C-alpha cells in the first residue's frame, strides 16, 4: 500500500470519528437545552395545580358536579361563574395533554405527577365533555381525553416502580 494512501485513510478515519463525536455531543446538548426549557412549564403546572381556587373547583367536580348538574347541558350549560371555574380545570388538563401529544413534555412526567387526578377528573367531566362535543360538533378536549387514557393505561404507581422510586420501609 502506498504510504500517502495510508495516511489519507487514517486522516479520513480520524475525521469521521471527530464528526461522530461532534454530532453526539451536539445531540446531547440539544436534549439538555430542551429539558431546561421545559422546567418553567413543569413548575408553572405544579403551581397552578396547587392554587386554592383550582383545588376547590377540582374537589367540587369530584364530589358534587354530577349531583348538582345534568350532563345533558354539556359544559356550556353550567351556570356562571361555576362554568368558568370548571373550564379552568378542564383546560388545564387539556393543555397538559397537548404538551404530551405534541411531545413537548414526556408523558411519563405528566402521568407520574398528575395521572391519578387526571383519571378521576376525566371520569366526572366525561359525560359533560361528550355532550359538549355533540353541541359544538368538534372533538372538544381531545387532548384531555388522550391524557386520561394514557394515565389509566399507565398507573403512576407502576411508573414509579419502573423508575426505581424507593419507599421508606421504616415508616
Amino acid at each position: 500500500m502506498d504510504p500517502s494512501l495510508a495516511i489519507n485513510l487514517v486522516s479520513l478515519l480520524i475525521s469521521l470519528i471527530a464528526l461522530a463525536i461532534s454530532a453526539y455531543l451536539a445531540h446531547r446538548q440539544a436534549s439538555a437545552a430542551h429539558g431546561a426549557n421545559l422546567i418553567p412549564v413543569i413548575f408553572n403546572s405544579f403551581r397552578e395545580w396547587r392554587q386554592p381556587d383550582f383545588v376547590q373547583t377540582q374537589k367540587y367536580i369530584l364530589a358534587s358536579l354530577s349531583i348538582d348538574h345534568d350532563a345533558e347541558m354539556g359544559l356550556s350549560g353550567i351556570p356562571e361563574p361555576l362554568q368558568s371555574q370548571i373550564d379552568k380545570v378542564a383546560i388545564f388538563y387539556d393543555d397538559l395533554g397537548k404538551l404530551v401529544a405534541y411531545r413537548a413534555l414526556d408523558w411519563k412526567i405528566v402521568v407520574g405527577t398528575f395521572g391519578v387526578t387526571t383519571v378521576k377528573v376525566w371520569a366526572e367531566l366525561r359525560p359533560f365533555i361528550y355532550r359538549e362535543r355533540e353541541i359544538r360538533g368538534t372533538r372538544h378536549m381531545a387532548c384531555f381525553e388522550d391524557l386520561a387514557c394514557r394515565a389509566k393505561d399507565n398507573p403512576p404507581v407502576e411508573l414509579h416502580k419502573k423508575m426505581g422510586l424507593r419507599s421508606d420501609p421504616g415508616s
Side-chain angles (χ1 to χ4, degrees):
M1 177 181 281
D2 182 18
S4 64
L5 179 62
I7 291 173
N8 286 339
L9 287 176
V10 169
S11 297
L12 178 62
L13 181 61
I14 291 171
S15 296
L16 290 174
I17 291 170
L19 178 63
I21 290 170
S22 294
Y24 171 75
L25 292 175
H27 175 70
R28 284 196 50 170
Q29 184 176 9
S31 296
H34 177 71
N37 290 337
L38 294 178
I39 290 172
V41 173
I42 294 166
F43 280 117
N44 284 336
S45 297
F46 292 161
R47 187 177 310 118
E48 177 68 24
W49 200 58
R50 290 181 176 92
Q51 292 298 313
D53 61 328
F54 188 93
V55 171
Q56 183 179 0
T57 302
Q58 206 166 239
K59 285 179 180 178
Y60 176 80
I61 290 168
L62 296 174
S64 303
L65 178 64
S66 62
I67 296 167
D68 295 347
H69 300 280
D70 184 4
E72 281 302 309
M73 301 182 314
L75 291 172
S76 57
I78 298 170
E80 288 293 350
L82 182 60
Q83 179 187 5
S84 293
Q85 294 166 334
I86 291 170
D87 281 347
K88 186 176 182 180
V89 171
I91 290 167
F92 170 82
Y93 287 107
D94 195 53
D95 286 348
L96 278 179
K98 287 173 188 163
L99 293 171
V100 168
Y102 290 103
R103 294 185 174 95
L105 278 179
D106 184 347
W107 68 269
K108 293 175 190 171
I109 295 171
V110 176
V111 169
T113 305
F114 302 104
V116 172
T117 310
T118 302
V119 171
K120 289 178 180 179
V121 172
W122 172 256
E124 292 300 319
L125 290 180
R126 182 182 182 275
F128 291 88
I129 291 171
Y130 273 38
R131 177 63 182 129
E132 194 65 29
R133 288 177 180 179
E134 292 172 6
I135 293 167
R136 292 181 183 210
T138 65
R139 186 124 187 270
H140 189 60
M141 300 285 171
C143 293
F144 180 6
E145 182 175 21
D146 177 73
L147 182 61
C149 290
R150 288 175 193 259
K152 192 173 183 182
D153 292 344
N154 301 280
V157 70
E158 295 300 321
L159 288 177
H160 297 162
K161 283 181 189 176
K162 289 177 185 175
M163 289 170 54
L165 293 183
R166 299 176 289 169
S167 297
D168 181 3
S171 56

PDB file of all heavy atoms in Angstrom, residues 61-80:
ATOM      1  N   ILE A  61     -65.818  19.223  41.398  1.00  0.00           N
ATOM      2  CA  ILE A  61     -66.032  18.344  40.245  1.00  0.00           C
ATOM      3  C   ILE A  61     -66.125  16.894  40.709  1.00  0.00           C
ATOM      4  O   ILE A  61     -67.030  16.157  40.302  1.00  0.00           O
ATOM      5  CB  ILE A  61     -64.902  18.514  39.201  1.00  0.00           C
ATOM      6  CG1 ILE A  61     -65.006  19.880  38.528  1.00  0.00           C
ATOM      7  CG2 ILE A  61     -64.943  17.391  38.163  1.00  0.00           C
ATOM      8  CD1 ILE A  61     -63.788  20.257  37.697  1.00  0.00           C
ATOM      9  N   LEU A  62     -65.217  16.494  41.574  1.00  0.00           N
ATOM     10  CA  LEU A  62     -65.158  15.095  42.017  1.00  0.00           C
ATOM     11  C   LEU A  62     -66.299  14.713  42.957  1.00  0.00           C
ATOM     12  O   LEU A  62     -66.733  13.563  42.965  1.00  0.00           O
ATOM     13  CB  LEU A  62     -63.813  14.824  42.686  1.00  0.00           C
ATOM     14  CG  LEU A  62     -62.593  14.952  41.769  1.00  0.00           C
ATOM     15  CD1 LEU A  62     -61.309  14.803  42.563  1.00  0.00           C
ATOM     16  CD2 LEU A  62     -62.652  13.947  40.633  1.00  0.00           C
ATOM     17  N   ALA A  63     -66.788  15.667  43.732  1.00  0.00           N
ATOM     18  CA  ALA A  63     -67.781  15.326  44.750  1.00  0.00           C
ATOM     19  C   ALA A  63     -69.218  15.690  44.383  1.00  0.00           C
ATOM     20  O   ALA A  63     -70.147  14.978  44.787  1.00  0.00           O
ATOM     21  CB  ALA A  63     -67.415  16.008  46.072  1.00  0.00           C
ATOM     22  N   SER A  64     -69.425  16.763  43.627  1.00  0.00           N
ATOM     23  CA  SER A  64     -70.778  17.305  43.523  1.00  0.00           C
ATOM     24  C   SER A  64     -71.281  17.634  42.126  1.00  0.00           C
ATOM     25  O   SER A  64     -72.491  17.785  41.943  1.00  0.00           O
ATOM     26  CB  SER A  64     -70.878  18.581  44.364  1.00  0.00           C
ATOM     27  OG  SER A  64     -70.520  18.319  45.700  1.00  0.00           O
ATOM     28  N   LEU A  65     -70.414  17.793  41.158  1.00  0.00           N
ATOM     29  CA  LEU A  65     -70.846  18.282  39.847  1.00  0.00           C
ATOM     30  C   LEU A  65     -71.979  17.445  39.262  1.00  0.00           C
ATOM     31  O   LEU A  65     -73.015  17.981  38.866  1.00  0.00           O
ATOM     32  CB  LEU A  65     -69.675  18.340  38.863  1.00  0.00           C
ATOM     33  CG  LEU A  65     -70.037  18.796  37.445  1.00  0.00           C
ATOM     34  CD1 LEU A  65     -70.550  20.235  37.466  1.00  0.00           C
ATOM     35  CD2 LEU A  65     -68.853  18.652  36.517  1.00  0.00           C
ATOM     36  N   SER A  66     -71.791  16.136  39.214  1.00  0.00           N
ATOM     37  CA  SER A  66     -72.809  15.290  38.576  1.00  0.00           C
ATOM     38  C   SER A  66     -74.094  15.186  39.402  1.00  0.00           C
ATOM     39  O   SER A  66     -75.137  14.818  38.869  1.00  0.00           O
ATOM     40  CB  SER A  66     -72.243  13.896  38.297  1.00  0.00           C
ATOM     41  OG  SER A  66     -71.872  13.271  39.493  1.00  0.00           O
ATOM     42  N   ILE A  67     -74.029  15.544  40.678  1.00  0.00           N
ATOM     43  CA  ILE A  67     -75.231  15.568  41.523  1.00  0.00           C
ATOM     44  C   ILE A  67     -75.998  16.865  41.295  1.00  0.00           C
ATOM     45  O   ILE A  67     -77.228  16.863  41.180  1.00  0.00           O
ATOM     46  CB  ILE A  67     -74.841  15.420  43.012  1.00  0.00           C
ATOM     47  CG1 ILE A  67     -74.200  14.062  43.257  1.00  0.00           C
ATOM     48  CG2 ILE A  67     -76.046  15.638  43.918  1.00  0.00           C
ATOM     49  CD1 ILE A  67     -73.505  13.937  44.599  1.00  0.00           C
ATOM     50  N   ASP A  68     -75.262  17.968  41.185  1.00  0.00           N
ATOM     51  CA  ASP A  68     -75.876  19.292  41.080  1.00  0.00           C
ATOM     52  C   ASP A  68     -76.289  19.683  39.661  1.00  0.00           C
ATOM     53  O   ASP A  68     -77.138  20.562  39.494  1.00  0.00           O
ATOM     54  CB  ASP A  68     -74.918  20.366  41.608  1.00  0.00           C
ATOM     55  CG  ASP A  68     -74.636  20.220  43.094  1.00  0.00           C
ATOM     56  OD1 ASP A  68     -75.345  19.466  43.782  1.00  0.00           O
ATOM     57  OD2 ASP A  68     -73.677  20.882  43.566  1.00  0.00           O
ATOM     58  N   HIS A  69     -75.681  19.054  38.642  1.00  0.00           N
ATOM     59  CA  HIS A  69     -75.929  19.482  37.263  1.00  0.00           C
ATOM     60  C   HIS A  69     -76.095  18.275  36.348  1.00  0.00           C
ATOM     61  O   HIS A  69     -75.431  17.249  36.516  1.00  0.00           O
ATOM     62  CB  HIS A  69     -74.784  20.365  36.760  1.00  0.00           C
ATOM     63  CG  HIS A  69     -74.612  21.600  37.579  1.00  0.00           C
ATOM     64  ND1 HIS A  69     -75.406  22.707  37.415  1.00  0.00           N
ATOM     65  CD2 HIS A  69     -73.773  21.890  38.598  1.00  0.00           C
ATOM     66  CE1 HIS A  69     -75.054  23.625  38.291  1.00  0.00           C
ATOM     67  NE2 HIS A  69     -74.052  23.153  39.023  1.00  0.00           N
ATOM     68  N   ASP A  70     -76.959  18.433  35.358  1.00  0.00           N
ATOM     69  CA  ASP A  70     -77.242  17.391  34.375  1.00  0.00           C
ATOM     70  C   ASP A  70     -76.226  17.478  33.239  1.00  0.00           C
ATOM     71  O   ASP A  70     -76.059  18.542  32.627  1.00  0.00           O
ATOM     72  CB  ASP A  70     -78.663  17.588  33.842  1.00  0.00           C
ATOM     73  CG  ASP A  70     -79.093  16.502  32.872  1.00  0.00           C
ATOM     74  OD1 ASP A  70     -78.332  15.537  32.660  1.00  0.00           O
ATOM     75  OD2 ASP A  70     -80.212  16.631  32.340  1.00  0.00           O
ATOM     76  N   ALA A  71     -75.575  16.368  32.953  1.00  0.00           N
ATOM     77  CA  ALA A  71     -74.569  16.331  31.891  1.00  0.00           C
ATOM     78  C   ALA A  71     -75.172  16.644  30.522  1.00  0.00           C
ATOM     79  O   ALA A  71     -74.449  17.054  29.611  1.00  0.00           O
ATOM     80  CB  ALA A  71     -73.876  14.977  31.868  1.00  0.00           C
ATOM     81  N   GLU A  72     -76.468  16.477  30.366  1.00  0.00           N
ATOM     82  CA  GLU A  72     -77.120  16.786  29.090  1.00  0.00           C
ATOM     83  C   GLU A  72     -76.985  18.255  28.715  1.00  0.00           C
ATOM     84  O   GLU A  72     -77.191  18.624  27.568  1.00  0.00           O
ATOM     85  CB  GLU A  72     -78.600  16.387  29.131  1.00  0.00           C
ATOM     86  CG  GLU A  72     -78.816  14.901  28.926  1.00  0.00           C
ATOM     87  CD  GLU A  72     -78.244  14.396  27.593  1.00  0.00           C
ATOM     88  OE1 GLU A  72     -78.543  14.978  26.530  1.00  0.00           O
ATOM     89  OE2 GLU A  72     -77.471  13.424  27.619  1.00  0.00           O
ATOM     90  N   MET A  73     -76.643  19.107  29.693  1.00  0.00           N
ATOM     91  CA  MET A  73     -76.433  20.526  29.414  1.00  0.00           C
ATOM     92  C   MET A  73     -75.069  20.761  28.763  1.00  0.00           C
ATOM     93  O   MET A  73     -74.828  21.822  28.212  1.00  0.00           O
ATOM     94  CB  MET A  73     -76.490  21.343  30.716  1.00  0.00           C
ATOM     95  CG  MET A  73     -77.783  21.230  31.470  1.00  0.00           C
ATOM     96  SD  MET A  73     -77.815  22.244  32.969  1.00  0.00           S
ATOM     97  CE  MET A  73     -76.246  21.919  33.742  1.00  0.00           C
ATOM     98  N   GLY A  74     -74.166  19.779  28.873  1.00  0.00           N
ATOM     99  CA  GLY A  74     -72.804  19.991  28.414  1.00  0.00           C
ATOM    100  C   GLY A  74     -72.092  20.952  29.355  1.00  0.00           C
ATOM    101  O   GLY A  74     -72.668  21.418  30.340  1.00  0.00           O
ATOM    102  N   LEU A  75     -70.861  21.242  29.062  1.00  0.00           N
ATOM    103  CA  LEU A  75     -70.120  22.206  29.882  1.00  0.00           C
ATOM    104  C   LEU A  75     -70.697  23.612  29.729  1.00  0.00           C
ATOM    105  O   LEU A  75     -70.757  24.367  30.692  1.00  0.00           O
ATOM    106  CB  LEU A  75     -68.635  22.211  29.496  1.00  0.00           C
ATOM    107  CG  LEU A  75     -67.825  20.961  29.837  1.00  0.00           C
ATOM    108  CD1 LEU A  75     -66.438  21.053  29.220  1.00  0.00           C
ATOM    109  CD2 LEU A  75     -67.740  20.762  31.329  1.00  0.00           C
ATOM    110  N   SER A  76     -71.142  23.931  28.525  1.00  0.00           N
ATOM    111  CA  SER A  76     -71.634  25.286  28.268  1.00  0.00           C
ATOM    112  C   SER A  76     -72.970  25.570  28.952  1.00  0.00           C
ATOM    113  O   SER A  76     -73.361  26.731  29.082  1.00  0.00           O
ATOM    114  CB  SER A  76     -71.754  25.540  26.766  1.00  0.00           C
ATOM    115  OG  SER A  76     -72.610  24.579  26.166  1.00  0.00           O
ATOM    116  N   GLY A  77     -73.654  24.542  29.429  1.00  0.00           N
ATOM    117  CA  GLY A  77     -74.923  24.733  30.108  1.00  0.00           C
ATOM    118  C   GLY A  77     -74.805  24.927  31.605  1.00  0.00           C
ATOM    119  O   GLY A  77     -75.796  25.185  32.283  1.00  0.00           O
ATOM    120  N   ILE A  78     -73.613  24.814  32.125  1.00  0.00           N
ATOM    121  CA  ILE A  78     -73.391  25.034  33.555  1.00  0.00           C
ATOM    122  C   ILE A  78     -73.389  26.536  33.801  1.00  0.00           C
ATOM    123  O   ILE A  78     -72.729  27.289  33.070  1.00  0.00           O
ATOM    124  CB  ILE A  78     -72.061  24.394  34.012  1.00  0.00           C
ATOM    125  CG1 ILE A  78     -72.113  22.879  33.806  1.00  0.00           C
ATOM    126  CG2 ILE A  78     -71.764  24.742  35.468  1.00  0.00           C
ATOM    127  CD1 ILE A  78     -70.778  22.183  33.992  1.00  0.00           C
ATOM    128  N   PRO A  79     -74.126  27.013  34.797  1.00  0.00           N
ATOM    129  CA  PRO A  79     -74.201  28.466  35.019  1.00  0.00           C
ATOM    130  C   PRO A  79     -72.862  29.058  35.468  1.00  0.00           C
ATOM    131  O   PRO A  79     -72.032  28.384  36.070  1.00  0.00           O
ATOM    132  CB  PRO A  79     -75.266  28.612  36.109  1.00  0.00           C
ATOM    133  CG  PRO A  79     -75.411  27.276  36.726  1.00  0.00           C
ATOM    134  CD  PRO A  79     -74.943  26.252  35.741  1.00  0.00           C
ATOM    135  N   GLU A  80     -72.699  30.333  35.143  1.00  0.00           N
ATOM    136  CA  GLU A  80     -71.532  31.090  35.600  1.00  0.00           C
ATOM    137  C   GLU A  80     -71.714  31.449  37.070  1.00  0.00           C
ATOM    138  O   GLU A  80     -72.839  31.559  37.526  1.00  0.00           O
ATOM    139  CB  GLU A  80     -71.369  32.364  34.767  1.00  0.00           C
ATOM    140  CG  GLU A  80     -70.890  32.131  33.358  1.00  0.00           C
ATOM    141  CD  GLU A  80     -69.468  31.601  33.252  1.00  0.00           C
ATOM    142  OE1 GLU A  80     -68.742  31.577  34.260  1.00  0.00           O
ATOM    143  OE2 GLU A  80     -69.088  31.197  32.158  1.00  0.00           O
TER     144      GLU A  80
END
